[in-house]
Amino acid sequence: MGDTVRAAVQTGPRQIEIREFPRPVIGPDDGGLLRVEACGICGSDVEQFRGNLGQQWLPMVPGHEPLGILEEVSDSAAARWGVRPGDRVAVEILIPCRSCDLCLAGRYMSCRNRVGSHGGSQPASRGLGLWGGFAEYIHLHPNSILHKVRGDIPAEVAVMFNPLGAGVRWACHLGGVGLGSVVLILGAGQRGLSAVLASRAAGAGTIIVTGLSRDAGKLALAREFGADVCIDVEAEDTVGRVLEVTGGVGADVALELTPMAVQPIRDALAAVRWGGRVVLAGLKGGQPAELSTDLIINKALTVVGAFSVDSRAYAEAIRLIETGRFPLARMHTHTFGLPDVSRAIETLAGEVPGEDAVHVAIVPGASEPRGAAMPGLRSDEGATREGSALKRPEREQEMG
Ligand SMILES: [Zn+2]
Ligand SMILES: [Zn+2]
């Protein structure tokens, strides 16, 4: 590589430009230098792009779901991380202090003294540096959190450690999905679909997914990923349908993953069984939601706020990806190069007519945008299909 590194820099709402930075020199007390292979895009990138997450951090390099190859690493960081140059790693967004009470309790996602973040909000003292993933290289801090990932998996699939990590944490760790669980997943975006995969992997009995009429393609994908029942909430009554499917009992667990809508919160509370769990992960832009606390009391419900994803969930998601058992590649719809970061975010946001995006990634080395689903990671597709077919008495409910 040369002496400069290209990165996408956000300078204002909807304003991103390519700038050149000097290549960081990795000193003995430094972390390392990561060559970015791919960086995933999610709903918070859309909010950040639109300027809804605050502009005091600008200018900055966005991109908080990076995967890449360690090109340089200091000896001390290599020893602590257990890595060497050439390893492929996934990088977590947060750079915690690793010393405060929250860090020591495993709650480093809300660290009191965080050093900064890779692609998220950044203390001003960090300045404009190569922290984000929409760049050719990321400058890793010694406190950055890395996970090794096998090198032979396509980058656009390996980078799904992020949405799949959310699926694992929200469905399994927070929702308690296990053998035979009846799971209701409200929302069929990349995190809803990832929750389907995580639930299936955890041995869920029945998986029910909701979406809007325009989500027909995503609901069909949910079927492929192992969902048993898909509900078009614009054509059917969600709660009524869940009660019908569960013989009047309700779901064991509901995951509320929809952005902005508040009705799905009420649906989740109404559609779970007595003693059930409701995991809330869909942000509503600060608007209050009216709901019946009597219902929560009388049904003895557990309502859990799903803040972020942790290392355990990322690690388990990576192990799941590495099994090759799940047709994750089917979820990846768009790849863009560095010059097209704005268009990539607009595509995920549904602002580009005719593009139906589920998972979008920036691949700095990509020469031109790729819109078609990639051939990707294939595995025991037959077995997955058969397994799902056996579990699906209700094929007549199939969507679009
Ligand atoms: Zn994200
Ligand atoms: Zn801390």
Side-chain angles (χ1 to χ4, degrees), residues 59-78:
M60 66 170 288
V61 180
H64 60 272
E65 305 185 0
L67 170 93
I69 306 291
L70 281 170
E71 217 166 81
E72 291 181 46
V73 59
S74 74
D75 289 344
S76 57

Side-chain angles (χ1 to χ4, degrees), residues 185-194 196-197 208-227 229-232 257 259 330-334 347-351 355-360 392 398-400:
I185 298 166
L186 298 123
Q190 49 175 279
R191 278 164 176 75
L193 292 168
S194 295
V196 172
L197 285 181
I208 307 165
V209 183
T210 72
L212 303 171
S213 298
R214 66 163 185 264
D215 295 328
K218 291 173 186 162
L219 291 176
L221 202 48
R223 285 258 178 202
E224 272 189 57
F225 283 9
V229 179
C230 292
I231 300 174
D232 174 348
L257 311 178
R330 297 275 297 115
M331 191 160 79
H332 180 72
T333 52
H334 296 78
T347 300
L348 182 74
E351 295 175 4
E355 297 293 339
D356 196 7
V358 182
H359 181 263
V360 179
R392 266 185 216 157
E398 197 136 8
M399 309 288 303

Side-chain angles (χ1 to χ4, degrees), residues 198-273:
S199 299
R200 199 32 93 214
T206 303
I207 301 173
I208 307 165
V209 183
T210 72
L212 303 171
S213 298
R214 66 163 185 264
D215 295 328
K218 291 173 186 162
L219 291 176
L221 202 48
R223 285 258 178 202
E224 272 189 57
F225 283 9
D228 301 284
V229 179
C230 292
I231 300 174
D232 174 348
V233 299
E234 293 174 286
E236 297 173 89
D237 170 48
T238 304
V239 177
R241 188 80 184 92
V242 171
L243 292 176
E244 184 191 324
V245 169
T246 58
V249 174
D252 297 309
V253 185
L255 310 180
E256 205 290 300
L257 311 178
T258 68
M260 306 313 287
V262 294
Q263 182 58 38
I265 304 175
R266 292 189 281 266
D267 289 345
L269 294 170
V272 289
R273 65 184 299 158

Side-chain angles (χ1 to χ4, degrees), residues 41-42 44-45 64-65 162 191:
I41 301 181
C42 80
S44 27
D45 290 288
H64 60 272
E65 305 185 0
N162 219 288
R191 278 164 176 75

Side-chain angles (χ1 to χ4, degrees), residues 95-104 107-108 110-115:
I95 310 173
C97 78
R98 297 184 185 239
S99 305
C100 73
D101 57 338
L102 289 168
C103 278
L104 294 178
R107 298 183 169 165
Y108 66 91
S110 43
C111 167
R112 295 184 197 287
N113 317 309
R114 67 196 242 194
V115 177

Side-chain angles (χ1 to χ4, degrees), residues 116-195:
S117 76
H118 289 295
S121 57
Q122 198 80 272
S125 59
R126 300 245 67 181
L128 174 57
L130 288 168
W131 306 114
F134 297 158
E136 290 173 324
Y137 285 84
I138 290 177
H139 189 177
L140 297 169
H141 187 276
N143 283 18
S144 297
I145 301 176
L146 312 186
H147 299 267
K148 278 202 248 188
V149 184
R150 232 175 51 208
D152 60 333
I153 299 162
E156 287 105 321
V157 172
V159 81
M160 288 186 203
F161 73 91
N162 219 288
L164 193 56
V168 167
R169 176 161 167 84
W170 301 347
C172 304
H173 301 170
L174 300 178
V177 169
L179 293 177
S181 297
V182 178
V183 191
L184 168 64
I185 298 166
L186 298 123
Q190 49 175 279
R191 278 164 176 75
L193 292 168
S194 295

